[in-house]
Amino acid sequence: MKYLVKNMLGAMTMLLIGIGAPTMMAEDGSSLWLRMPPGSGAEVTAAMKSTPTLDIAKDEVRRYWKGVPVTLLHEKVGRLRREGFSIDIDDKGVRISSPTDIGLLYGVYHLLREQPTESGTIVENPTYSRRILNHWDNPDGTVERGYAGNSLWEWDSLPATISSRYAGYARANASIGINGTVLNNVNAKAEALSTEYLRKTKVLADVFRPYGIRVYLSINFGSPKRLGGLPTSDPFDQDVKRWWRDKAKEIYSLIPDFGGFLVKANSEGTAGPLDYGRSHAEGANMLADVLKPYGGIVMWRAFVYHPEEPDRAKQAYSEFKPLDGKFRDNVIVQVKNGPIDFQPREPYTPLFGSMSATKLMVEFQITQEYLGHANHLAYLAPMWKEFFEYVSPSSITSVAGVANIGNDSNWCGYDMAQANWYAFGRLAWNPELSAEEIADEWLSQTFTPDTAFVDPMKEMMMQSREAVVNYMMPLGLHHIFAKDHHYGPQPWFFDPELRVDWTATHYHKADSEGLGFDRSSTGSDAVSQYPENLAALFDDINRCPEEYLLWFHHVGWNHKMRNGRSLWNELCHRYDAGVQEVRRFQKIWDRMEPYVDADRFAAIQDKLKIQARDAVWWKDACLLYFQQFSCQPIPYDVEPPVHNLQDMKEFRLNLGIHGNAPHGFNK
Ligand code: GCW
């Protein structure tokens, strides 16, 4: 009887929830960090004529601001730049001033984020005028290195159908100051520039414009030939130039504020000016001249490497440094933060600081191609801050980040990965912000401002990237990933049929003597590409920062580390520390249950479980493999392997859709 009553009550509750309580809907992470509680319908006035951007700004205030009346003003106060704003608050009202509508919208988002209560003045200017997401999205809906489902852009149903997520995407970006988006993969299909696709692109640009977001496209340098049917794509050919000029005219007639082109040329098999005996600068300048009359720019990537060059880390510098000063002023050379490829840790690319007559922008990777996809917690702000410790923010002109966004309901495939999208935007706005401050902001907005939650979570986020480095490739190891999917370990990977710089053994060079890639002055001499003081530091095995040791040196197994351990023992301890850290993260998260909704709590708990399992997999695979060369025992105080090497070699990742890492790996 009791049982029946209980069940009836249950059924009635379900009914009530179903009818009257939409707030009980499952928490799917789709609101990102934009979870402001409803405002008090505050009064908001704008001294100027309505525009779509101002309407959004006013609407956000009305819906989410709980305070004194707000006035929006077009005004160039003090040192305000185009997108900058100032906020003056006293007990009678808030006054947001900016020379532009978008500056006012940024001011509103700042107000809502900070919820300031005391009187005072805030002045904000973005450090960079271009803060751009790079999507590696393909026209067929797949996303290269994307782990959050398919592309957000529904090309098949555009231009007729406009998904509500387009505006949601634009709003999220505007709230953190991102003002540009490259819609398609740098491995670009020529069809991206077809009239059919440009019409679709125009619709996206129209949705994004009120949020201050400009659209850019990646182009295939071979488009005149592939799309235009010309016999060549030689940048010096008159018909080719005319083709590009006509294309630019078509683009700007549809999208008057089109941002420009992103180009991956002569890299990993893409077409480029070198195919015709022209230089990167000559190719880039031809496009720059075409876009110049419209105010467009060319972002030309420096991600190049050739099979003939024995050290891939030296390539971008060797190829681009001689071109310093040869690019038009509307060309920006886009350089990855590290000289190889978005590894968990790399020293910075030495091109930064050495091309004073060329505009440079940094390319960060927000999507975690090499840091556990959308399965591992790796808060990337500390990594990007590390870059800025070596590269002065003022030596670059703009910032790009490879997006981690897809059509998953939580946008990023992992609630915690949303922090990296957020952090990218905030750092692109102001690289001086600390990684802690950003984590604090994100946690408070995304979950709860309760310090009992924010403090331990912030500490965990701050340690998370280092944990990944430790269980994947500590002490400067790099690129020992499984071929293609870049998820699991495969330090033994070697294929004589493949170019050597696509194999793992090439990067770690383990042998009976030791481990690491010798880039010192007696090795590949990559050190010489750095400024003198750093070159000397990196070159000296006893002074080289230990986090870069195996990047720059081939180090003996018994080499004494600064803490007194041998290299082998230290390696074992680092792998172990990575694993133990993830277990600690699991415990921290478990204690957060009271502060978080049940759905996100369970989702993050699941992901941490996967990460803990993967960390052991990495540790066992790498230590057992390297042990064959060191011929030394794993120290007693390091957790012994639970796998054996042969099994690990036979395991294969069962890759899910579009190369997404699954939740398990199969034989
Ligand atoms: O990191 C490598 C990736 C490729 C990518 C390339 C690039 C878009 O593995 O998937 O291609 O870099 O940055 O061009």
Side-chain angles (χ1 to χ4, degrees), residues 339-353:
I340 292 212
D341 192 11
F342 299 137
Q343 298 299 292
R345 171 168 278 130
E346 296 191 36
Y348 77 94
T349 304
L351 266 182
F352 293 106

Side-chain angles (χ1 to χ4, degrees), residues 22 25-36 64 152 164-173 175 405-416 418 421 442 445-447 597 599-600 603:
M25 264 162 50
E27 169 57 81
D28 61 4
S30 58
S31 307
L32 295 163
W33 49 87
L34 293 162
R35 297 164 182 272
M36 298 81 84
Y64 302 110
L152 262 189
S164 64
R165 297 198 78 181
Y166 302 153
Y169 163 86
R171 175 175 181 246
N173 280 322
S175 76
I405 302 162
N407 69 357
D408 271 5
S409 46
N410 70 11
W411 304 85
C412 301
Y414 185 7
D415 292 288
M416 294 303 294
Q418 297 173 354
W421 177 8
W442 178 77
Q445 296 171 88
T446 307
F447 295 99
D597 52 276
D599 296 306
R600 285 187 298 170

Side-chain angles (χ1 to χ4, degrees), residues 136 144-145 186-187 264 268 301 303 336 341 369:
W136 286 356
E144 184 157 345
R145 312 303 178 187
V186 286
N187 290 326
K264 172 176 177 177
E268 300 186 325
R301 292 175 96 226
F303 177 67
K336 289 187 180 182
D341 192 11
E369 173 180 358

Side-chain angles (χ1 to χ4, degrees), residues 117-184:
T117 45
E118 283 172 22
S119 298
T121 301
I122 299 166
V123 178
E124 284 271 330
N125 278 307
T127 301
Y128 301 112
S129 55
R130 295 186 198 258
R131 308 173 294 277
I132 306 180
L133 283 181
N134 290 183
H135 288 265
W136 286 356
D137 296 20
N138 298 314
D140 66 1
T142 56
V143 180
E144 184 157 345
R145 312 303 178 187
Y147 315 105
N150 270 346
S151 173
L152 262 189
W153 326 131
E154 295 173 3
W155 293 112
D156 288 345
S157 53
L158 279 166
T161 310
I162 304 179
S163 153
S164 64
R165 297 198 78 181
Y166 302 153
Y169 163 86
R171 175 175 181 246
N173 280 322
S175 76
I176 49 176
I178 289 171
N179 69 357
T181 178
V182 183
L183 296 177
N184 60 325

Side-chain angles (χ1 to χ4, degrees), residues 332-520:
I332 309 181
V333 175
Q334 177 167 312
V335 187
K336 289 187 180 182
N337 59 295
I340 292 212
D341 192 11
F342 299 137
Q343 298 299 292
R345 171 168 278 130
E346 296 191 36
Y348 77 94
T349 304
L351 266 182
F352 293 106
S354 48
M355 287 187 79
S356 52
T358 305
K359 289 184 181 155
L360 295 185
M361 66 195 288
V362 62
E363 177 177 350
F364 291 133
Q365 195 181 42
I366 310 169
T367 189
Q368 292 168 233
E369 173 180 358
Y370 294 103
L371 289 104
H373 296 187
N375 281 342
H376 295 196
L377 165 65
Y379 174 52
L380 299 178
M383 175 159 96
W384 301 330
K385 290 293 289 184
E386 207 166 275
F387 169 82
F388 284 121
E389 273 167 32
Y390 284 93
V391 177
S392 151
S394 62
S395 69
I396 56 175
T397 60
S398 331
V399 184
V402 181
N404 63 347
I405 302 162
N407 69 357
D408 271 5
S409 46
N410 70 11
W411 304 85
C412 301
Y414 185 7
D415 292 288
M416 294 303 294
Q418 297 173 354
N420 292 330
W421 177 8
Y422 184 88
F424 170 77
R426 297 291 287 134
L427 279 178
W429 179 274
N430 179 7
E432 304 295 336
L433 288 172
S434 73
E436 286 95 333
E437 276 173 272
I438 298 172
D440 208 309
E441 282 180 6
W442 178 77
L443 285 163
S444 308
Q445 296 171 88
T446 307
F447 295 99
T448 163
D450 192 329
T451 52
F453 173 83
V454 171
D455 291 350
M457 285 299 291
K458 187 167 52 178
E459 188 271 339
M460 161 168 149
M461 285 172 71
M462 288 302 296
Q463 298 308 318
S464 60
R465 179 269 189 148
E466 203 61 40
V468 175
V469 169
N470 278 334
Y471 64 69
M472 284 188 181
M473 28 204 110
L475 300 173
L477 283 173
H478 51 286
H479 230 311
I480 55 176
F481 289 95
K483 186 178 168 281
D484 295 336
H485 54 68
H486 298 163
Y487 184 72
Q490 205 177 4
W492 49 85
F493 178 68
F494 177 73
D495 180 349
E497 304 281 302
L498 268 189
R499 43 191 282 186
V500 65
D501 54 4
W502 284 353
T503 67
T505 50
H506 169 74
Y507 291 100
H508 62 67
K509 304 215 183 301
D511 57 20
S512 58
E513 305 277 303
L515 183 64
F517 197 121
D518 186 358
R519 297 194 168 98
S520 72

